[in-house]
């Protein structure tokens, strides 16, 4: 019996190490979305109007229950739609078990159009394949049919935050602050304030927004030290931040003009925010309820603006309206801010891409052949091809996969086996 004609066997019997079931993620997301406010844009959407029309023809013992019923239905559906988009785009990496190990699934193969029952899959966390009889993707999807899907625990909080932020941004809704605090739970660890004394021989334990931006703009510890309050005589705690930021803007602009600065204050602030979103720079702050200082989760830096007021504060802008600060008086781990960060590869313009020649077929084949000899798996080869030929246009995943398979035949290497490389890849 072929692999296409029957589901795979030999699945791992236990929990994925460091993983959480997709079904549990879905239930949590539905719970969070269920707490969000239904905006005007929501109510004017075709989905909400359709659900309202259906509910209007239903009998309710209490007529006042009709509106909550529609709202709950709509928000659950919105959560399912967000999860489907995350899986289809590959934004949410998923894993499943095979022959005693867990492998990451290729979203292009498993979650493409007409390849899966999206509604059932996200609700149950069990993958259901469609159109497997045609065998367009080989045995992969047929073998994954009815497999339990997993998400890495370290991935889920960040992605959950991004899905919430996307909904807030797209339809102008908000997640109540009390729900945000509930989500943080006991993970919001209390930490003490660092001493305010300056020490240019070693980094401070925690830096203010102005010190962190000063470092990113100059890499000059003496300049960082000059952002502390005692260098601003006559200012009060209330206006110190505005004065410090204005002077910082002017100083960095002057340095840039003189050729000794690295970036402007706004550019450094954007870079700092991005680092906090990924968790590479950790921060503390005072929550909106004016409690004790605590860690600010990386999730809270997503979909917000980092303002210079009140010692550095985080605000969401929803439907053009500025929300009150969720965190203020921010402090950033100095060792994180000072840690060297790899410069991102600049995005090529359309004109640059058009002017790049396509990589030579023989060169690409030779590179893939060498990587196979070195023992690279297929996912490493697919991801590494573009960086190996930076001056050329490199074909996409399907072409490289076919080339990889051809090279392995010529090298008399075994075909890619299940569980060794990215599933579906």
């Amino acid at each position: 019996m072929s692999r296409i004609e029957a589901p795979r066997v030999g699945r791992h019997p236990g929990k994925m190490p460091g993983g959480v079931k997709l079904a549990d993620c879905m239930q949590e997301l539905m719970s969070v979305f269920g707490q969000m406010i239904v905006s005007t844009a929501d109510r004017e959407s075709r989905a909400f109007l359709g659900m309202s029309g259906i509910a209007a023809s239903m009998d309710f013992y209490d007529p006042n229950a009709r509106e909550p019923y529609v709202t709950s239905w709509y928000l659950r559906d919105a959560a399912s739609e967000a999860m489907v988009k995350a899986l289809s785009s590959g934004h949410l990496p998923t894993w499943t078990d095979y022959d005693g190990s867990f492998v990451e699934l290729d979203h292009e193969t498993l979650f493409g159009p007409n390849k899966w029952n999206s509604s059932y899959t996200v609700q149950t966390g069990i993958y259901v394949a469609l159109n497997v009889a045609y065998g367009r993707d080989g045995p992969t999807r047929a073998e994954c049919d009815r497999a339990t899907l997993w998400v890495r625990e370290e991935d889920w909080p960040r992605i959950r935050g991004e899905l919430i932020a996307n909904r807030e941004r797209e339809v102008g809704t908000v997640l109540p602050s009390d729900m945000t605090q509930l989500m943080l739970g006991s993970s919001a660890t209390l930490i003490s304030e660092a001493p305010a004394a300056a020490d240019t021989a070693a980094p401070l334990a925690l830096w203010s927004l102005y010190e962190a931006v000063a470092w990113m703009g100059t890499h000059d510890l003496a300049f960082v030290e000059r952002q502390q309050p005692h260098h601003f005589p006559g200012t009060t705690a209330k206006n110190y931040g505005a004065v410090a930021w204005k002077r910082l803007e002017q100083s960095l602009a002057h340095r840039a003009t003189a050729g000794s600065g690295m970036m402007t204050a706004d550019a450094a602030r954007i870079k700092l925010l991005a680092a906090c979103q990924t968790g590479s720079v950790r921060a503390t702050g005072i929550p909106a309820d004016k409690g004790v200082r605590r860690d600010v989760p990386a999730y809270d830096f997503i979909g917000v603006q980092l303002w210079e007021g009140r010692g550095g504060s985080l605000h969401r802008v929803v439907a053009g309206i500025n929300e009150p600060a969720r965190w203020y008086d921010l402090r950033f781990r100095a060792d994180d801010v000072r840690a060297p960060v790899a410069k991102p590869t600049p995005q090529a313009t359309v004109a640059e891409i058009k002017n790049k020649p396509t990589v030579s077929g023989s060169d690409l084949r030779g590179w893939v052949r060498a990587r196979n000899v070195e023992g690279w798996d297929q996912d490493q080869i697919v991801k590494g091809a573009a960086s190996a030929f930076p001056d050329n246009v490199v074909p996409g995943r399907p072409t490289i996969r076919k080339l990889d398979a051809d090279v392995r035949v010529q090298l008399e290497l075994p075909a890619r086996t299940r569980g060794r490389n990215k599933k579906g890849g």
Side-chain angles (χ1 to χ4, degrees), residues 42-66:
D42 285 323
R43 295 183 181 279
E44 294 176 350
S45 67
R46 180 176 299 178
F48 191 90
L49 293 175
M51 294 174 185
S52 298
I54 294 173
S57 62
M58 298 170 61
D59 292 329
F60 286 84
Y61 179 78
D62 181 2
N64 294 327
R66 180 176 283 105

Side-chain angles (χ1 to χ4, degrees), residues 210 238-247 249 308-311:
Y210 321 108
K238 185 175 182 179
N239 67 3
Y240 154 69
V243 174
W245 183 260
K246 187 65 176 178
R247 187 179 298 180
E249 281 186 316
E308 65 272 14
R310 303 185 71 183

